[in-house]
């Protein structure tokens, strides 16, 4: 039987500002489609047929793009009057579900085998089962200590350095029994990580399992770039990855790549984009829909959003430029610098060391220098 899923998409995405000033985090593009589409794709691939998108604030952008059906998934929206926290939101969206269901954070990418998680859940008879994943630094996550049979002994959200004694964390995907929602008081914000899981751990009814497969939390410019690299390198299974094919190159048929421009795979050039003579895209680069790279511009290990103009001889490396931006000739944008949507950089500016240019900000010619 196919389990329904509740997807949480309430967060503010502050660490990805200014990219999230005009676009909600879950709708930021990842190569050729919004981040959230990868979560839908993962669920659909594992047989989920119904998803309730749990929104802490208005889901206009999501509804406008996905409507009530995507990838064979029937979509519903549950919109809170005000954000109810992760537990409150699952309760609000999931009350009324009569079977076991998936609940998941909409801001990470994963490819774990969901049937294996459900099998584990049935075998242990747990009320809740948590997908776990190893990470290098658990401090930004929910640390999960388990016994040999997978029973969760401790769930510790945002552990202090001295509490870290395992690399296994909550990957933000659960199988829940409807009765878990009885532990979620109504009418106030409730965190599933801070309130519900510790209680279930105390009553020995929550289990966790680390399953193989890709996992990435997309929350910072660094991880956003990493996600692009991983999709382009086909480090996990995605529809875009399949479309990139064995030459790791996807140029939309409506894009124009002029003679004397160079594409170095892995590379993606979106619909209507123009790459002029002497420009180079790649490796590990994305040029979004309707953007233009003028003569001799270089985009390497970098992302250019939609409808952005990159002037002649600009060099973008290890950096991100949002939608609708204009970069004058000869700009250098490197080392995790971020140019916000609609920003206008005059000629010959240099952005380095994670510098962020706000949405719509205007920078005169030669105003920024790092060397
Ligand atoms: N609907 C709704 N309402 N969604 C919410 C709300 C809310 O009030 N608050 C947060 N969310 C959504 C976020 O959009 C995100 O998709 C998910 O719930 C988790 O919230 P975050 O704020 O992103 O939490 P985090 O990233 O610090 O930590 C969570 O994710 C880690 C894995 O990425 C926790 O679940 C950790 O335990 C986990 O390790
Ligand atoms: Mg998060």
């Amino acid at each position: 039987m196919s389990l329904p899923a509740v997807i949480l998409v309430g967060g503010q995405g502050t660490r990805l500002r200014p990219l999230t000033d005009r676009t909600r985090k879950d709708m930021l593009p990842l190569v050729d489609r919004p981040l959230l589409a990868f979560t839908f794709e993962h669920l659909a691939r594992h047989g989920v047929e119904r998803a309730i998108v749990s929104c802490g604030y208005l889901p206009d952008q999501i509804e406008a793009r996905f409507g009530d059906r995507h990838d064979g998934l029937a979509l519903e929206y549950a919109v809170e009057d005000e954000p109810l926290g992760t537990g409150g939101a699952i309760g609000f969206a999931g009350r009324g579900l009569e079977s076991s269901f998936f609940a998941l954070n909409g801001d990470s990418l994963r490819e774990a085998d969901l049937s294996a998680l459900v099998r584990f859940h049935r075998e242990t008879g747990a009320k809740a089962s948590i997908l776990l994943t190893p990470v290098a630094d658990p401090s930004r996550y929910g640390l999960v200590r388990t016994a040999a049979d997978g029973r969760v002994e401790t769930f510790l959200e945002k552990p202090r350095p001295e509490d870290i004694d395992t690399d296994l964390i909550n990957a933000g995907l659960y199988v829940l029994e409807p009765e878990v929602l009885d532990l979620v008081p109504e009418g106030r914000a409730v965190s599933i990580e801070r309130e519900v899981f510790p209680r279930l751990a105390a009553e020995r009814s929550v289990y966790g399992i680390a399953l193989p497969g890709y996992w990435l939390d997309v929350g910072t410019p660094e991880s956003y770039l990493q996600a692009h690299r991983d999709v382009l390198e086909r480090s996990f299974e995605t529809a875009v990855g399949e479309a990139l094919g064995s030459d790791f190159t996807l140029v939309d048929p409506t894009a124009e790549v002029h003679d004397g421009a160079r594409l170095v795979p892995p590379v993606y050039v979106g619909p209507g984009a123009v790459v002029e003579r002497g420009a180079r895209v790649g490796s590990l680069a994305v040029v979004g829909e309707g953007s233009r790279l003028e003569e001799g511009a270089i985009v390497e290990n970098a992302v250019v959003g939609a409808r952005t103009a990159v002037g002649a001889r600009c060099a973008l490396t290890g950096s991100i430029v949002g939608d609708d931006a204009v970069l004058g000739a000869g700009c250098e944008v490197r080392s995790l610098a971020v140019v916000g949507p609609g920003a206008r950089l005059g000629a010959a500016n240099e952005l380095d060391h994670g510098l962020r240019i706000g949405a719509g900000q205007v920078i005169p010619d030669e105003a920024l220098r790092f060397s």
Side-chain angles (χ1 to χ4, degrees):
M1 188 195 62
S2 158
L3 270 47
V6 172
I7 308 172
L8 297 176
V9 295
Q12 298 289 335
T14 38
R15 288 176 301 159
L16 273 166
R17 293 181 91 176
L19 298 173
T20 46
D21 284 356
R22 294 185 182 173
T23 306
R24 30 183 313 149
K25 172 172 160 181
D26 32 80
M27 291 302 285
L28 286 178
L30 175 52
V31 185
D32 71 337
R33 62 195 73 193
L35 259 177
L36 191 55
F38 291 82
T39 290
F40 292 155
E41 187 182 323
H42 173 230
L43 293 173
R45 206 183 280 277
H46 290 278
V48 175
E49 293 166 356
R50 173 185 178 203
I52 307 172
V53 184
S54 157
C55 310
Y57 53 101
L58 277 185
D60 324 6
Q61 291 178 354
I62 303 182
E63 271 192 286
R65 171 70 167 74
F66 295 111
D68 58 9
R69 207 162 184 88
H70 181 76
D71 261 358
L73 211 58
L75 299 177
E76 294 157 46
Y77 298 86
V79 186
E80 297 139 43
D81 287 335
E82 50 195 270
L84 289 173
T86 48
I90 295 171
F92 183 73
R95 276 191 191 98
L97 293 176
E98 284 161 4
S99 68
S100 328
F101 61 98
F102 294 111
L104 56 148
N105 297 346
D107 62 352
S108 9
L109 296 166
R110 37 175 105 69
E111 64 169 355
D113 177 353
L114 299 182
S115 314
L117 184 65
V118 174
R119 269 197 308 279
F120 171 76
H121 181 76
R122 302 277 180 244
E123 277 161 21
T124 61
K127 282 190 195 167
S129 299
I130 304 176
L131 176 69
L132 307 177
T133 193
V135 293
D137 174 15
S139 62
R140 288 193 286 123
Y141 303 102
L143 179 96
V144 183
R145 295 192 193 111
T146 58
D149 64 351
R151 185 173 57 76
V152 173
E153 293 175 328
T154 340
F155 190 107
L156 197 52
E157 186 63 20
K158 312 287 184 279
R160 293 170 305 179
E162 59 269 34
D163 291 326
I164 296 174
D165 51 7
T166 169
D167 64 353
L168 286 183
I169 59 126
N170 167 23
L173 185 142
Y174 326 115
V175 180
L176 304 177
E177 291 307 309
E179 63 200 279
V180 168
L181 302 184
D182 297 342
L183 299 179
V184 178
E186 287 185 54
R188 68 168 171 91
V190 178
S191 157
I192 196 164
E193 297 89 348
R194 293 177 194 275
E195 291 190 49
V196 180
F197 288 147
R199 264 182 75 181
L200 289 171
E203 62 173 62
R204 305 165 78 92
S205 54
V206 52
Y207 284 68
I209 185 170
L211 294 171
Y214 181 83
W215 186 84
L216 184 73
D217 170 67
V218 183
T220 58
E222 195 173 4
S223 55
Y224 183 59
L225 266 185
Q226 183 66 47
H228 279 85
R229 285 196 289 269
D230 292 338
V231 171
L232 292 173
E233 295 265 33
R234 306 184 61 184
S235 304
F236 66 112
E237 212 182 336
T238 64
V240 203
E242 278 153 38
L244 279 156
S246 53
D247 58 357
F248 291 79
T249 301
L250 182 53
V251 178
D252 190 274
T254 60
E256 254 179 71
V257 178
H258 293 188
D259 288 345
R262 197 144 65 96
L263 302 180
V264 187
V267 60
Y268 171 79
V269 180
V274 178
V275 182
E276 292 187 3
R277 202 152 57 91
R280 169 158 66 85
V281 190
S283 68
L284 296 167
V286 166
V287 177
E289 180 162 358
S291 286
R292 171 179 286 268
L293 303 192
E294 292 178 10
E295 267 189 54
I298 294 173
V299 180
E300 181 180 343
N301 183 21
V303 174
V304 175
R307 302 169 302 276
T308 279
V310 178
R313 297 173 313 284
C314 282
L316 278 47
T317 53
S319 56
I320 303 161
V321 179
D323 297 341
D324 303 298
V326 179
L327 277 60
C331 286
E332 285 183 35
V333 184
R334 33 173 203 257
S335 305
L336 293 177
V338 180
V339 178
R344 291 175 168 266
L345 295 187
N349 279 293
E350 222 181 293
L351 279 62
D352 205 334
H353 299 298
L355 183 72
R356 301 190 192 193
I357 303 297
Q361 205 176 328
V362 179
I363 308 284
D365 290 353
E366 294 178 55
L368 301 169
R369 287 258 142 237
F370 275 81
S371 49

